[in-house]
Amino acid sequence: MKIEEVLRTVNQMTTDRVIERYAIGGAVGATFYLEPVSTLDIDIFIELHTTPGAPLVTLEPVFHYLRARGCRMEGEHIVISDWPVQFLPPTGPLVEEALTNAIELDVGGISARVFTAEHLAAIALQTGRAKDKARLLQFIEAGALDSARFEQIVTRHNLVDRWRQFQRQFLEG
Amino acid sequence: MSFDFERIWKGKRALSERLAARPLAEKLRMLDALRERAVALRAAGSQPAVKVREAQPPYGKPR
């Protein structure tokens, strides 16, 4: 069970042009900036090579590539090196922007493309589940955010009301 | 017995900061270990579990 193996596999998928690019999000993405938090799966956002005029974005090329390399499907996940991985196409402008602006980090000699801390925090604000709010608080308490950059993202993606509400609920008083 | 919550809180914060500052490869190995533990706990919990549930707050009930 090794995340490093997952990174190697996803990097190879980029080299083999199965995917255009990728970025790690969710709890694993947050671990690049914060203390590690237990998680059962890995969220990898991907941009696929698209054929002009093709009506649908399908993940089948990804699954086909990985199944041919011995990976198995488990519900919505595909299991790579014992880690269930969820490949997610961008679900909206915020995630698209996060994917474009993701940064490349070195993990013991292996390259990893990860959402910026500010985009991870903004996505947590947008998603808004209890665990996402907890993660946003972690980013704030750890001083891991460039607040100007975060507020620009929040403004650009119409999350100002949510941000004000979050501030009232958790940061004031 | 008394608890100095301020001191406990500071200790937890310091631990979080130390963990966050560890090298990325080491933090990812910690995730591997945390997941292995979580999977083992899930497997062990296949026996009937004790459920803890809070009573529904009486929202909107006339007094």
Side-chain angles (χ1 to χ4, degrees), chain A residues 23-42:
Chain A
I24 301 167
V28 177
T31 294
F32 283 79
Y33 305 96
L34 305 170
E35 66 185 293
V37 177
S38 182
T39 182
L40 292 170
D41 63 0
I42 306 175

Side-chain angles (χ1 to χ4, degrees), chain A residues 13 20-21 24 27 40-42 53 64 99 107-108 160 165 169:
Chain A
M13 287 168 70
E20 176 78 35
R21 58 184 166 183
I24 301 167
L40 292 170
D41 63 0
I42 306 175
H64 180 266
L99 197 46
V107 183
V160 173
Q165 190 184 350
Q169 193 174 2

Side-chain angles (χ1 to χ4, degrees), chain B residues 25-62:
Chain B
E26 189 181 329
K27 289 205 285 180
L28 294 189
R29 281 195 294 275
M30 287 182 204
L31 283 188
D32 287 330
L34 285 167
R35 183 173 184 277
E36 272 180 30
R37 196 179 302 175
V39 169
L41 284 170
R42 281 202 168 190
S46 55
Q47 296 108 5
V50 176
K51 289 185 180 173
V52 179
R53 181 180 290 177
E54 280 186 11
Q56 177 73 24
Y59 296 124
K61 280 193 178 170

Side-chain angles (χ1 to χ4, degrees), chain A:
Chain A
M1 185 180 293
K2 287 201 170 183
I3 292 186
E4 287 182 2
E5 282 304 315
V6 178
L7 294 177
R8 281 199 188 91
T9 302
V10 181
N11 287 334
Q12 191 59 45
M13 287 168 70
T14 312
T15 305
D16 292 343
R17 297 184 54 78
V18 179
I19 53 176
E20 176 78 35
R21 58 184 166 183
Y22 78 91
I24 301 167
V28 177
T31 294
F32 283 79
Y33 305 96
L34 305 170
E35 66 185 293
V37 177
S38 182
T39 182
L40 292 170
D41 63 0
I42 306 175
D43 292 337
I44 299 183
F45 293 83
I46 55 171
E47 192 175 310
L48 294 158
H49 292 286
T50 49
T51 312
L56 288 173
V57 173
T58 171
L59 292 173
E60 188 47 38
V62 172
F63 298 146
H64 180 266
Y65 177 93
L66 291 169
R67 277 196 305 260
R69 281 152 186 80
C71 301
R72 68 177 195 282
M73 297 298 299
E74 205 171 79
E76 297 171 335
H77 299 86
I78 188 147
V79 181
I80 306 173
S81 188
D82 279 344
W83 270 96
V85 177
Q86 186 151 36
F87 286 98
L88 301 153
T91 47
L94 174 57
V95 175
E96 277 173 23
E97 183 184 285
L99 197 46
T100 302
N101 290 283
I103 55 170
E104 202 157 317
L105 296 169
D106 180 86
V107 183
I110 305 166
S111 167
R113 212 159 172 272
V114 186
F115 285 162
T116 65
E118 292 77 21
H119 278 105
L120 283 166
I123 290 167
L125 179 67
Q126 186 182 58
T127 314
R129 296 165 302 175
K131 67 176 182 179
D132 299 311
K133 289 176 181 172
R135 186 174 303 152
L136 178 51
L137 265 179
Q138 271 187 297
F139 272 108
I140 294 164
E141 287 179 352
L145 298 179
D146 177 324
S147 56
R149 197 179 302 161
F150 175 67
E151 296 217 359
Q152 283 167 9
I153 296 169
V154 163
T155 304
R156 206 160 44 241
H157 293 281
N158 301 316
L159 295 168
V160 173
D161 289 344
R162 274 185 190 232
W163 177 228
R164 297 276 171 263
Q165 190 184 350
F166 182 90
Q167 286 176 305
R168 276 196 302 275
Q169 193 174 2
F170 297 104
L171 305 176
E172 291 172 5

